[in-house]
Amino acid sequence: MKDGYEAVVGQDGLGRPAWAYADQALRDYYDSEWSVPMWGEQGMFELLALLLFQAGMRWRLILARRPQLRRLFCSFDVDRVAAFTDTDVRQILDESAGIRNEQKVRAVIALANAVQKMRAVGGLPKVAWQAYDPDRPRPMRGEEVPSYSARSAELAKRLTEFGCKRVGARTAYAFMQACGIVDDNVPGTWRADVLADEQGNYYQDEYSYLGITNDLGADSLPGVGGIPGSEGGFAGQEYPPDEGVYWMKPGVEDGYANPDAS
């Protein structure tokens, strides 16, 4: 089980998991990204790469270094990272402040090569979303949030088969949480409250877009997460625009603050 997932109400009146109050960066990350369903290859590659770097470090440190990592890894362009050479590895290790673990750098390169291979079977989004369980209930208390699951272990094994390195069941579960494959927003958090208002209004074509409708069925899909501050709720994800159900932070309408919201 994990600590820090119980709902805490902030000064703005919105509930968030306790871990989101460690600093402003984590709060912003929860409000804008964490648990928002993600469908684009590049965004999912970046997220998994950041989780590889997190091993042994605090997530807020990774978020602080995210701009630098994006620069060093070509904005996490899969094909460019897959082509990195030993010279590129040395340059990254020389320039990266605080992240000088060669094994982690090479694991990200291996991940990029693995993502290229996944395209033959539908891509990283399809491989990752095979771990989605439409019958999994949302945890009702923070103490019920696990560190890993049978499905995260299966996903880790599948990723390893494609050539990924350093991805175990716990890393895979953190990835599933962050990109919305599992919903660990406990009651009392604003995301759980918004999703509760949208029950049954799920977007019907998401899995058709990924080519896996036959595996899960159109009646058991998670809603599309609108990122506060983004236009249309997709924030540049590789996804058909102007479609889907957006679940937004209270006071945000179509990505912009709504002064009339109650």
Side-chain angles (χ1 to χ4, degrees), residues 111-184:
L111 173 61
N113 280 274
V115 172
Q116 286 182 324
K117 295 176 183 177
M118 292 179 210
R119 292 170 181 167
V121 296
L124 173 59
K126 180 176 179 179
V127 171
W129 278 91
Q130 295 287 353
Y132 173 64
D133 181 1
D135 297 321
R136 177 189 183 270
R138 175 189 294 148
M140 299 304 293
R141 299 185 302 274
E143 63 188 23
E144 296 176 5
V145 177
S147 296
Y148 61 92
S149 67
R151 292 214 174 202
S152 75
E154 292 173 3
L155 176 58
K157 180 180 178 181
R158 182 75 166 139
L159 293 173
T160 300
E161 290 172 350
F162 279 101
C164 295
K165 301 181 184 298
R166 302 173 69 93
V167 179
R170 285 178 169 80
T171 297
Y173 191 80
F175 174 67
M176 291 165 63
Q177 286 180 306
C179 64
I181 296 173
V182 294
D183 177 12
D184 282 336

Side-chain angles (χ1 to χ4, degrees), residues 178-198:
C179 64
I181 296 173
V182 294
D183 177 12
D184 282 336
N185 290 288
V186 302
T189 58
W190 73 258
R191 286 201 181 280
D193 293 342
V194 173
L195 281 172
D197 293 339
E198 297 290 348

Side-chain angles (χ1 to χ4, degrees), residues 249-253 256-262:
K249 179 180 176 183
V252 174
E253 181 176 337
Y256 298 96
N258 177 11
D260 297 325
S262 58

Side-chain angles (χ1 to χ4, degrees), residues 57-168:
M57 303 180 67
R58 295 184 181 275
W59 185 241
R60 58 185 171 184
L61 295 178
I62 299 300
L63 292 177
R65 291 163 182 163
R66 192 179 195 178
Q68 182 193 37
L69 290 171
R70 281 176 169 168
R71 178 179 61 82
L72 293 173
F73 287 89
C74 305
S75 298
F76 290 98
D77 181 288
V78 173
D79 295 321
R80 294 179 67 182
V81 175
F84 277 8
T85 64
D86 288 343
T87 300
D88 295 306
V89 172
R90 287 193 295 271
Q91 182 176 349
I92 291 171
L93 294 174
D94 288 341
E95 294 187 23
S96 180
I99 300 178
R100 297 191 177 92
N101 187 312
E102 182 174 348
Q103 289 185 333
K104 291 183 179 181
V105 173
R106 293 192 180 277
V108 172
I109 298 171
L111 173 61
N113 280 274
V115 172
Q116 286 182 324
K117 295 176 183 177
M118 292 179 210
R119 292 170 181 167
V121 296
L124 173 59
K126 180 176 179 179
V127 171
W129 278 91
Q130 295 287 353
Y132 173 64
D133 181 1
D135 297 321
R136 177 189 183 270
R138 175 189 294 148
M140 299 304 293
R141 299 185 302 274
E143 63 188 23
E144 296 176 5
V145 177
S147 296
Y148 61 92
S149 67
R151 292 214 174 202
S152 75
E154 292 173 3
L155 176 58
K157 180 180 178 181
R158 182 75 166 139
L159 293 173
T160 300
E161 290 172 350
F162 279 101
C164 295
K165 301 181 184 298
R166 302 173 69 93
V167 179

Side-chain angles (χ1 to χ4, degrees), residues 176-255:
M176 291 165 63
Q177 286 180 306
C179 64
I181 296 173
V182 294
D183 177 12
D184 282 336
N185 290 288
V186 302
T189 58
W190 73 258
R191 286 201 181 280
D193 293 342
V194 173
L195 281 172
D197 293 339
E198 297 290 348
Q199 288 300 321
N201 296 324
Y202 296 141
Y203 180 40
Q204 299 297 302
D205 293 326
E206 290 163 358
Y207 280 90
S208 296
Y209 174 67
L210 293 176
I212 55 176
T213 302
N214 292 336
D215 294 324
L216 297 176
D219 294 330
S220 55
L221 306 179
V224 174
I227 299 177
S230 66
E231 295 186 11
F234 290 103
Q237 290 197 53
E238 301 166 12
Y239 201 83
D242 302 323
E243 299 180 8
V245 174
Y246 308 147
W247 45 282
M248 310 293 286
K249 179 180 176 183
V252 174
E253 181 176 337
D254 293 333

